[in-house]
Amino acid sequence: MSKVTGNIDGIRRSYIERLEMVFEMETDRKQFCSEEMLAALAFFTGVTGREAMVYIDRAGRIEAVVVGEQDRVSLPALRKRRSESRLSGIRCIHTHPGGDGNLSKVDIQALKSARLDAMAAVGVVDGRATFMQVGILGEVTGDDVSVNLFGPYETVPDDVLWAEIEAADQRIRPEESKKSEAEIARAILVGIDPKNDGDDEPLRELRQLADTAGFITIGCIVQSRPRPDKSFYLGYGKLHDLILEIQKLGADTVIFDDELTPSQIRNIQKELGKTEIIDRTALILDIFSSRASTHEGRLQVELAQTKYLLPRMTGYWGHFTRMAGGGGGGGGARRGEGETQLEVDRRLLRRRVVELEKEIDKIKSRREVARVARERTGIPIVALVGYTNAGKSTLMNALSGSDVLAENKLFATLDPISRRINLGGGELLLVDTVGFINKLPHDLVNAFRATLEEARFADLLLHVVDSSSDNRERQMEVVNDVLEQLKASTNPILTVYNKCDIANEADIPKKGSVTVSAVTGAGMEDLKAAVVQKISEMRRIVSLILPLDSGALVSRIYAVGQVHECEYKENGIHITATVTGEDESRLRAVVCSK
């Protein structure tokens, strides 16, 4: 979210906009809350007389900013799945008009029911914070849990409060540190394969996704059929085999290897009862949501999630059929039926889609301005593309000496990262992009188009391939298909077969490619030399004398090349510049034609 919600009727727009600035005040991981944030909340409460509250996750991200009394607002949806035996991973800091910073009974009840990391109240007088009291869950006794109160504080003791939160985490979920399998969702994977020979090989990638999302896979069901059933995905008989498997293995969740339609979700849920249903798209979106760390990344993921959710709200929220009250005037006026809560929420989601698209368009515009500025510097851009978990981030670290997160998991890094490096042939900009995957959700591709288009404008693409994968050829096809969608398939490409230390080198094509191991460093010098050669073939320094009426061509070179020297003399324009082979041909054609 990036908009203030709650009881904002009648409040000046300028006050709301000032409160929205809280979204840009994300805290450090070990900071409970910042003085800047407290000042912003206190100012709003001082001028409006209403409570203002902010919900922050453990990474310091602002989940929501809400106006209203604590008992009249709902806790925003948590970013990750958490059982009732765990803390939510979110803390709430809110204001109390009148100067009393003590937690109320309503505050304490909200802390308990939502299993918040902490609930903090801040007293406000004349737009200034007086003192803060913090509540953190204590000992569990039966179905109840006590609350430990800390403060009053005039200065926030970050270290003290984080130590108490960590202690509460252990008290509430003492077995969590043991990573007990009983506390992790147990999933059965389900897929369709026209060529199925009885094993679960087609679901290997889905198993990796489930593992990345934190599930334990306890079973797999693959049905041999040309396409999914329109009503139940599986055939009706196979669906009942799935029900028996759920009962036998004690599964909590069923994960489907394709995107389910809204009607399929409804029909399957009726048959499976309380067992959670997740399709491939929802699983990927969940992983992306947990991995996005920048403002842009979170906006893009939220847009994809919202578009995915819109047509499926009935399936996921059958309880929204209740009525939300009619308008109705005073006196004896008859109250109308009003909108269903489902209709209201659909309207809000559609509005949110429009807001997100506008914000992402603004980011895209800023990115284009930055891209033009980069092009004017003449620094070549090399983009790493490839299937997820092919080793792009590890290769990025090996080439640049940076410390980009690199894990043996799908989508270990999500947000694009760029580094200036010199491989011996001059400076270049190395860009790491999000990994591609089979059946990548269409809405996700569209949402991340502004980010993925970095590959479209790169001078050179390094297509990183996991040479140890049995599905290497299929993964390369998926990457090429996505590059085709982005209109980047015509860019110069150098194929880099990574992980040669664990692959059979005899199976790796040698022509027009480089074989490396980003982990051991094998082949890295060959890769650097190949990149320098490719760049030198594409860009070269030229010194020419152009006719005096070639101003338009010179302007183009300033825009897309690197001009080292340009001087207007009587006999023409003397220019020395680094240009692409295409622009060199244009320049020489002008010289020769005069």
Side-chain angles (χ1 to χ4, degrees):
M1 299 288 287
S2 61
K3 298 291 184 183
V4 173
T5 59
N7 182 20
I8 58 176
D9 292 340
I11 297 178
R12 289 185 187 178
R13 182 59 200 166
S14 60
Y15 293 157
I16 296 174
E17 289 175 350
R18 183 161 175 175
L19 186 60
E20 285 175 349
M21 293 173 65
V22 170
F23 282 101
E24 305 300 324
M25 301 177 187
E26 299 186 359
T27 61
D28 296 334
R29 287 181 178 271
K30 288 302 180 181
Q31 187 178 24
F32 187 79
C33 65
S34 66
E35 296 296 330
E36 182 186 22
M37 184 182 296
L38 292 179
L41 297 176
F43 171 82
F44 180 85
T45 296
V47 295
T48 64
R50 300 185 192 181
E51 289 189 10
M53 58 196 74
V54 58
Y55 293 96
I56 313 173
D57 73 7
R58 292 190 184 177
R61 293 183 289 241
I62 309 302
E63 290 288 340
V65 179
V66 186
V67 175
E69 298 176 10
Q70 178 64 44
D71 59 342
R72 297 182 188 177
V73 298
S74 300
L75 181 69
L78 301 185
R79 183 175 294 273
K80 300 175 182 177
R81 292 186 194 86
R82 290 180 178 268
S83 68
E84 292 184 359
S85 63
R86 301 179 60 184
L87 292 183
S88 68
I90 291 179
R91 58 192 182 277
C92 174
I93 293 94
H94 70 291
T95 57
H96 281 178
D100 184 4
N102 291 304
L103 292 168
S104 67
K105 292 182 179 178
V106 173
D107 295 334
I108 292 174
Q109 184 56 43
L111 169 66
K112 290 182 176 182
S113 61
R115 286 293 195 266
L116 295 173
D117 280 2
M119 172 68 77
V122 182
V124 176
V125 173
D126 297 330
R128 294 181 179 275
T130 56
F131 67 90
M132 170 193 287
Q133 187 178 54
V134 180
I136 297 175
L137 294 180
E139 300 293 337
V140 178
T141 306
D143 294 331
D144 195 19
V145 58
S146 63
V147 173
N148 298 327
L149 300 179
F150 302 90
Y153 297 123
E154 293 184 4
T155 303
V156 182
D158 297 315
D159 293 343
V160 172
L161 295 178
W162 272 114
E164 291 296 335
I165 290 173
E166 290 171 357
D169 220 5
Q170 295 302 315
R171 289 193 296 266
I172 297 300
R173 48 188 178 97
E175 297 300 316
E176 175 63 16
S177 59
K178 300 178 183 178
K179 303 286 185 183
S180 169
E181 292 190 0
E183 294 184 8
I184 303 175
R186 296 155 59 84
I188 293 178
L189 311 183
V190 177
I192 297 294
D193 181 25
K195 302 176 182 179
N196 180 40
D197 56 5
D199 62 17
D200 62 356
E201 182 66 18
L203 300 181
R204 181 169 57 178
E205 188 172 86
L206 186 64
R207 184 190 292 269
Q208 287 181 284
L209 287 168
D211 177 67
T212 301
F215 290 94
I216 291 178
T217 299
I218 58 174
C220 297
I221 290 182
V222 180
Q223 184 173 27
S224 178
R225 55 183 300 144
R227 64 186 63 85
D229 180 77
K230 292 182 179 179
S231 299
F232 296 101
Y233 184 78
L234 296 172
Y236 194 70
K238 198 71 171 179
L239 182 67
H240 278 265
D241 290 343
L242 172 61
I243 294 173
L244 295 176
E245 197 73 4
I246 292 171
Q247 295 171 350
K248 178 176 128 181
L249 299 177
D252 309 299
T253 308
V254 176
I255 303 176
F256 291 83
D257 194 34
D258 291 280
E259 182 174 313
L260 299 176
T261 65
S263 61
Q264 284 175 328
I265 291 174
R266 288 194 298 272
N267 294 336
I268 295 171
Q269 195 70 71
K270 287 179 183 178
E271 298 295 327
L272 301 191
K274 295 182 179 180
T275 305
E276 184 180 15
I277 295 173
I278 300 175
D279 65 13
R280 184 185 180 94
T281 299
L283 185 64
I284 293 175
L285 289 174
D286 186 51
I287 295 171
F288 269 55
S289 177
S290 65
R291 300 283 176 163
S293 59
T294 65
H295 177 62
E296 177 186 359
R298 293 197 297 275
L299 286 178
Q300 290 164 332
V301 172
E302 186 183 350
L303 175 61
Q305 286 176 320
T306 305
K307 285 186 173 181
Y308 170 81
L309 188 59
L310 254 174
R312 295 169 175 80
M313 291 183 68
T314 304
Y316 281 118
W317 286 300
H319 61 279
F320 279 173
T321 53
R322 68 183 188 277
M323 306 311 295
R334 182 179 179 182
R335 294 176 62 84
E337 189 179 50
E339 291 180 289
T340 64
Q341 187 64 43
L342 178 60
E343 290 167 348
V344 171
D345 288 347
R346 276 179 175 157
R347 177 161 45 83
L348 292 175
L349 283 182
R350 291 191 190 100
R351 185 184 304 166
R352 183 60 181 156
V353 167
V354 173
E355 292 172 352
L356 288 168
E357 287 177 338
K358 287 181 179 178
E359 290 188 59
I360 290 174
D361 283 343
K362 290 179 183 177
I363 292 173
K364 182 178 180 180
S365 298
R366 292 197 294 268
R367 188 182 292 278
E368 288 176 351
V369 171
R371 175 178 53 79
V372 171
R374 285 202 308 263
E375 288 178 344
R376 285 176 178 170
T377 66
I379 298 177
I381 300 173
V382 178
L384 297 169
V385 298
Y387 209 77
T388 182
N389 205 34
K392 296 187 303 301
S393 297
T394 306
L395 188 61
M396 176 90 168
N397 292 337
L399 289 172
S400 65
S402 59
D403 56 353
V404 176
L405 174 66
E407 294 182 297
N408 187 26
K409 287 187 176 182
L410 304 186
F411 305 116
T413 53
L414 176 59
D415 300 296
I417 297 168
S418 59
R419 297 286 187 271
R420 282 199 181 199
I421 63 174
N422 191 325
L423 301 181
E427 275 199 338
L428 59 85
L429 189 69
L430 186 64
V431 181
D432 187 13
T433 62
V434 62
F436 304 154
I437 195 169
N438 192 29
K439 304 178 186 176
L440 188 65
H442 180 70
D443 286 333
L444 201 56
V445 173
N446 287 338
F448 276 81
R449 185 170 294 274
T451 299
L452 292 172
E453 281 184 347
E454 289 292 322
R456 177 182 172 186
F457 298 105
D459 296 283
L460 175 66
L461 300 178
L462 297 187
H463 182 174
V464 185
V465 180
D466 180 358
S467 60
S468 67
S469 173
D470 295 334
N471 296 322
R472 183 177 67 204
E473 298 301 323
R474 173 56 186 157
Q475 292 175 359
M476 294 176 71
E477 289 176 7
V478 170
V479 173
N480 291 331
D481 288 344
V482 177
L483 290 176
E484 186 75 34
Q485 292 181 50
L486 299 172
K487 298 180 180 179
S489 58
T490 58
N491 289 26
I493 298 177
L494 175 62
T495 304
V496 181
Y497 288 96
N498 190 25
K499 305 185 183 181
C500 69
D501 54 316
I502 56 174
N504 184 354
E505 289 199 50
D507 296 335
I508 302 176
K510 298 295 189 292
K511 187 176 180 180
S513 63
V514 181
T515 301
V516 303
S517 170
V519 173
T520 67
M524 293 302 296
E525 293 305 317
D526 293 337
L527 173 60
K528 292 177 183 179
V531 171
V532 171
Q533 181 179 347
K534 284 278 188 182
I535 294 295
S536 64
E537 290 173 356
M538 292 184 291
R539 295 192 173 215
R540 60 203 69 181
I541 296 178
V542 296
S543 294
L544 301 168
I545 301 176
L546 304 178
L548 289 171
D549 60 356
S550 304
L553 184 55
V554 172
S555 296
R556 170 180 169 76
I557 301 306
Y558 267 104
V560 300
Q562 184 177 15
V563 177
H564 305 292
E565 185 179 350
C566 183
E567 187 176 358
Y568 285 74
K569 296 183 179 181
E570 290 184 2
N571 65 333
I573 305 172
H574 294 242
I575 185 169
T576 300
T578 299
V579 296
T580 63
E582 181 182 354
D583 283 326
E584 182 188 16
S585 299
R586 289 177 179 173
L587 289 169
R588 294 195 182 280
V590 171
V591 172
C592 294
S593 65
K594 298 295 181 179

